Amino acid sequence: MKILHISSAKSFGGGEKHLVDLCRGLQSEGHDVYVAVRPTCEWKDRLDFLAPGHLTFVTLRNSFGMFSAKRIARFINREGIEVLHAHLARDYVPASLAGRLAKEVSVVLTRHVLFPLKPFYKFLLGNVAAVVGVSKPVIESLSEIFPEEKLKLIPNGIDTHRRARSNRDEEGESFRNALGIPKEAHLIGILGEISEVKGQGDFLEMAEFVSEEFDNCRFIVVGKDNSGGSAIETLKRKVEGGNLKGRVDFIDWIDDTVPFHSALDVYVSASRTESFGLSIVEAMAAGTPVVSTRTPGPSSYLKHGITAMITEIGSARSLADAVIMILKDPRLGKELAIAARAFALEHFSSNTMVAETADVYRQVKDSVRSVQ
């Protein structure tokens, strides 16, 4: 199949990682993959595996970009694209318009977040053939806009082969050595875009509580600040002004998260809202005990006390109590890690994600557009 993905995302995050992994997997399965991104895209180098001429640029100025839709439609007709797949809400309408203008193409959308779409999308996106949601809560949100037969649940996937063959002790030791963190130190980490919604502020408040119980604790905050630097500076000032000084490392980005997750004694997701929680799944697959807030996405697959410890949203004290419980009871941590790793490796394979997405393409590619 000939598939064109479009994304107007400027910076690289979880949704963009999903797109790159999906495109790489589809290409490895023999599909002809194309990607359209904005000219100022900061992550186009991550698509260097595409065939020459399969990366194109289009300016998506707003959600109703007729000019952009016409350019996409011309590209679709020229290259014989069979499936057009959009990944961001602001790209949905241009994709839908392009689908109406092009000769023969089926439009597919993926929804990565829980924020509800406005009611008018029900009419604007009437020609969309299928909509993928990355978790059950996302599917439930989409049901307000799209009929049930168009909705497809396909969770995000990870490279389970990479994680299954990794040596946790070696990967973790290498990561700790690079940062000068002793083997005996308790290491707790969080990963995600630096923002209020991801809860790094709650994480640092939690770290203060945990440090009162354990002298030998270190903490790692991994994530890009796409606000221009103000968010990360606020977090760093909080560290410098309290008793966490010298105990917290900030890392901008990690391409291979296996060493990071393997080095941790506990992974914490302090998010205020989470549609799926890719880094949670990565931590589970690495055999790291997880503490997560009770956000919709992770709560749809985590089991409290079995594969993770689940706490209330916005409560640093609850996060700290769960982390302290795991650190004080190594047996509990080991049981959580074993169960979580087995679950993640079985249910969240990127190969499965790619195969199920390709099945959706096959189901819709010959469908007749209901709106011309």
Side-chain angles (χ1 to χ4, degrees):
M1 283 181 284
K2 286 193 169 186
I3 307 144
L4 171 62
H5 294 265
I6 64 171
S7 172
S8 61
K10 180 180 180 181
S11 57
F12 191 76
E16 293 66 53
K17 184 178 187 301
H18 167 90
L19 186 152
V20 171
D21 289 345
L22 176 59
C23 290
R24 192 189 300 276
L26 288 168
Q27 182 168 286
S28 69
E29 291 297 317
H31 298 289
D32 217 358
V33 179
Y34 299 74
V35 181
V37 296
R38 63 195 296 174
T40 55
C41 174
E42 297 174 351
W43 48 279
K44 55 183 176 291
D45 290 348
R46 297 175 184 270
L47 296 164
D48 59 3
F49 56 86
L50 294 175
H54 284 217
L55 178 65
T56 188
F57 299 94
V58 61
T59 301
L60 294 166
R61 298 184 184 279
N62 54 60
S63 295
F64 302 93
M66 177 59 75
F67 178 74
S68 300
K70 288 181 177 178
R71 286 194 60 190
I72 295 169
R74 287 197 295 270
F75 185 88
I76 289 169
N77 290 336
R78 185 173 70 249
E79 300 295 337
I81 301 297
E82 298 168 275
V83 177
L84 173 61
H85 192 159
H87 294 260
L88 291 180
R90 64 172 171 263
D91 302 338
Y92 293 169
V93 173
S96 174
L97 289 172
R100 298 172 194 270
L101 295 169
K103 291 178 181 178
E104 291 185 12
V105 67
S106 295
V107 181
V108 175
L109 312 177
T110 287
R111 188 68 171 160
H112 296 275
V113 297
L114 282 165
F115 308 115
L117 291 171
K118 291 181 170 57
F120 61 74
Y121 278 102
K122 182 182 295 187
F123 307 101
L124 293 176
L125 304 178
N127 65 319
V128 169
V131 185
V132 175
V134 298
S135 67
K136 290 180 181 179
V138 172
I139 290 289
E140 291 169 2
S141 174
L142 290 169
S143 66
E144 299 294 322
I145 304 296
F146 300 98
E148 181 180 353
E149 62 269 18
K150 289 188 177 183
L151 299 179
K152 313 292 181 181
L153 171 61
I154 304 179
N156 285 324
I158 60 173
D159 186 349
T160 51
H161 294 299
R162 160 80 171 95
R163 285 158 176 82
R165 66 175 181 265
S166 67
N167 184 306
R168 175 178 169 82
D169 291 338
E170 290 181 1
E171 302 257 17
E173 183 178 0
S174 175
F175 185 87
R176 284 179 177 241
N177 288 341
L179 293 178
I181 299 175
K183 183 178 180 179
E184 62 273 12
H186 294 305
L187 187 59
I188 300 99
I190 187 172
L191 185 152
E193 180 183 356
I194 305 299
S195 66
E196 184 177 357
V197 79
K198 290 297 184 180
Q200 286 92 356
D202 293 335
F203 176 83
L204 293 180
E205 188 177 344
M206 172 222 73
E208 293 180 356
F209 289 132
V210 173
S211 294
E212 292 174 1
E213 290 283 335
F214 299 93
D215 292 330
N216 62 335
C217 274
R218 292 282 294 271
F219 306 90
I220 296 182
V221 177
V222 178
K224 290 193 69 174
D225 180 4
N226 294 316
S227 70
S230 59
I232 192 71
E233 287 305 315
T234 298
L235 295 178
K236 289 181 177 180
R237 284 196 299 271
K238 186 171 184 176
V239 170
E240 291 300 313
N243 61 4
L244 293 177
K245 188 173 183 179
R247 295 189 179 197
V248 182
D249 289 286
F250 290 91
I251 301 176
D252 183 64
W253 183 262
I254 295 174
D255 281 315
D256 182 4
T257 63
V258 174
F260 163 69
H261 285 119
S262 298
L264 301 178
D265 292 291
V266 184
Y267 177 79
V268 174
S269 173
S271 293
R272 302 297 181 93
T273 182
E274 193 70 69
S275 59
F276 179 74
L278 182 61
S279 190
I280 292 174
V281 171
E282 290 176 333
M284 294 167 68
T288 300
V290 169
V291 172
S292 172
T293 49
R294 197 180 302 278
T295 50
S299 295
S300 67
Y301 57 81
L302 293 177
K303 294 183 179 180
H304 178 65
I306 299 176
T307 56
M309 300 301 293
I310 302 176
T311 71
E312 295 308 310
I313 296 171
S315 174
R317 180 72 261 182
S318 295
L319 288 171
D321 288 344
V323 170
I324 291 168
M325 184 182 301
I326 292 172
L327 294 181
K328 285 186 173 181
D329 187 353
R331 181 178 176 181
L332 170 63
K334 186 174 183 179
E335 290 175 350
L336 290 172
I338 291 173
R341 176 174 165 82
F343 185 86
L345 294 179
E346 179 180 356
H347 292 92
F348 298 114
S349 164
S350 59
N351 288 342
T352 300
M353 175 189 74
V354 170
E356 292 182 351
T357 304
D359 283 342
V360 170
Y361 295 159
R362 279 187 279 270
Q363 291 167 19
V364 305
K365 74 169 186 172
D366 296 324
S367 65
V368 178
R369 295 190 297 274
S370 59
V371 180
Q372 299 295 328

